Amino acid sequence: MPRPLCLLFDCDGTLVDSEPLLADEMSTALTAVGLPFQASDYMGEFRGARFRRIVAELERRHGSVDPERLEPLEATMRSNLNRRLASELRPIAGATEALALLQDYPMGVVSNGPENKIRTSLAATGLEAVFGNHLFSAYVANCWKPDPCLYLHAAREMGFAPAQCLVIEDSVVGVRAALAAGMTVIHLNRFPDVEETPEGAIMITSMFQLPTVVARLANDPPSRAATAR
């Protein structure tokens, strides 16, 4: 008999292709306050990280910004981003098809982003009905990946033990958070030539592979060090 599994998905870069839009808006906002930042910096170094952690690291490198400028800066950036998400966002290739095949599993979304951004992203890509209100934002839980507390919070709310949770993540930050929470982790590594899958996670390179891997894990759980290609 298949073991019970709760599927917990990251949002940005896993379900929806929002990261290029986020990186573009972040570049505009941070450069405007004297923190040199290019979209490629996000995709290469900071993917999946909390915005304020990125700001703190840039301030360490380039000098401090008046704290009174940061809150309106972030608010404007997120407003511009939400507008673009609503009109430009697309699902990650294979995500819609994978979710359709996995609909019998309980599923939730676990994201470092604000809840309104999660909702905007899912609505724009037609995925909101899949998850209902099983949305877990770091801004609501007040804990951010790579701390495992966000995934542990999601598991409790979904009614599953960590060992019964299967996490699907595209960023190394998120993968490490889920591994630290004691969960089985599938790393959607869309950049295998430049990004290494952390030890203990299962690598896939396309969401089209996900249903097959989930079925295998549900029926015959392998070691976490396995790799699916």
Side-chain angles (χ1 to χ4, degrees), residues 26-27 29-37 54-55 58-59 62-65 70 73:
M26 200 176 290
S27 173
L30 291 172
T31 301
V33 294
L35 296 176
F37 191 81
I54 296 173
V55 170
L58 293 177
E59 287 185 309
H62 304 292
S64 298
V65 174
L70 289 179
L73 165 78

Side-chain angles (χ1 to χ4, degrees), residues 148-215:
C149 62
L150 181 57
Y151 272 114
L152 293 172
H153 165 73
R156 285 193 301 268
E157 291 296 310
M158 293 291 290
F160 286 82
Q164 296 174 309
C165 295
L166 175 57
V167 171
I168 300 91
E169 271 275 4
D170 75 298
S171 73
V172 171
V173 167
V175 169
R176 288 177 175 157
L179 288 173
M183 300 176 179
T184 302
V185 185
I186 294 175
H187 179 207
L188 173 62
N189 189 347
R190 296 185 292 119
F191 311 101
D193 292 340
V194 296
E195 186 168 280
E196 185 174 347
T197 292
E199 183 178 357
I202 299 163
M203 187 182 79
I204 62 175
T205 57
S206 166
M207 284 292 277
F208 287 106
Q209 297 171 277
L210 183 62
T212 299
V213 177
V214 171

Side-chain angles (χ1 to χ4, degrees), residues 1-226:
M1 176 180 294
R3 64 170 174 150
L5 278 181
C6 176
L7 307 185
L8 299 177
F9 291 83
D10 174 52
C11 188
D12 300 306
T14 299
L15 293 172
V16 300
D17 197 14
S18 55
E19 290 180 325
L21 300 178
L22 172 60
D24 188 43
E25 290 300 327
M26 200 176 290
S27 173
T28 299
L30 291 172
T31 301
V33 294
L35 296 176
F37 191 81
Q38 298 181 357
S40 58
D41 295 330
Y42 178 82
M43 299 302 291
E45 182 179 0
F46 294 107
R47 203 160 55 85
R50 183 187 180 190
F51 177 70
R52 288 303 178 98
R53 189 184 78 77
I54 296 173
V55 170
E57 175 59 24
L58 293 177
E59 287 185 309
R60 186 188 68 79
R61 299 176 187 180
H62 304 292
S64 298
V65 174
D66 184 348
E68 293 187 359
R69 299 183 68 186
L70 289 179
E71 188 170 342
L73 165 78
E74 185 173 359
T76 299
M77 181 197 75
R78 293 199 181 281
S79 176
N80 291 339
L81 177 60
N82 279 346
R83 173 180 49 79
R84 294 186 66 184
L85 291 175
S87 60
E88 300 178 37
L89 190 60
R90 299 292 180 269
I92 289 289
T96 301
E97 294 84 352
L99 292 174
L101 293 172
L102 296 169
Q103 59 185 333
D104 290 338
Y105 292 91
M107 294 189 281
V109 177
V110 184
S111 172
N112 265 359
E115 186 174 321
N116 70 327
K117 177 172 174 282
I118 302 171
R119 292 187 181 277
T120 297
S121 297
L122 296 179
T125 52
L127 302 179
E128 73 272 35
V130 175
F131 299 99
N133 287 320
H134 295 154
L135 311 178
F136 305 100
S137 164
Y139 286 80
V140 175
N142 197 34
C143 57
W144 282 260
K145 309 168 192 176
D147 194 311
C149 62
L150 181 57
Y151 272 114
L152 293 172
H153 165 73
R156 285 193 301 268
E157 291 296 310
M158 293 291 290
F160 286 82
Q164 296 174 309
C165 295
L166 175 57
V167 171
I168 300 91
E169 271 275 4
D170 75 298
S171 73
V172 171
V173 167
V175 169
R176 288 177 175 157
L179 288 173
M183 300 176 179
T184 302
V185 185
I186 294 175
H187 179 207
L188 173 62
N189 189 347
R190 296 185 292 119
F191 311 101
D193 292 340
V194 296
E195 186 168 280
E196 185 174 347
T197 292
E199 183 178 357
I202 299 163
M203 187 182 79
I204 62 175
T205 57
S206 166
M207 284 292 277
F208 287 106
Q209 297 171 277
L210 183 62
T212 299
V213 177
V214 171
R216 177 163 58 82
L217 289 169
N219 288 282
D220 184 22
S223 70
R224 291 183 181 176

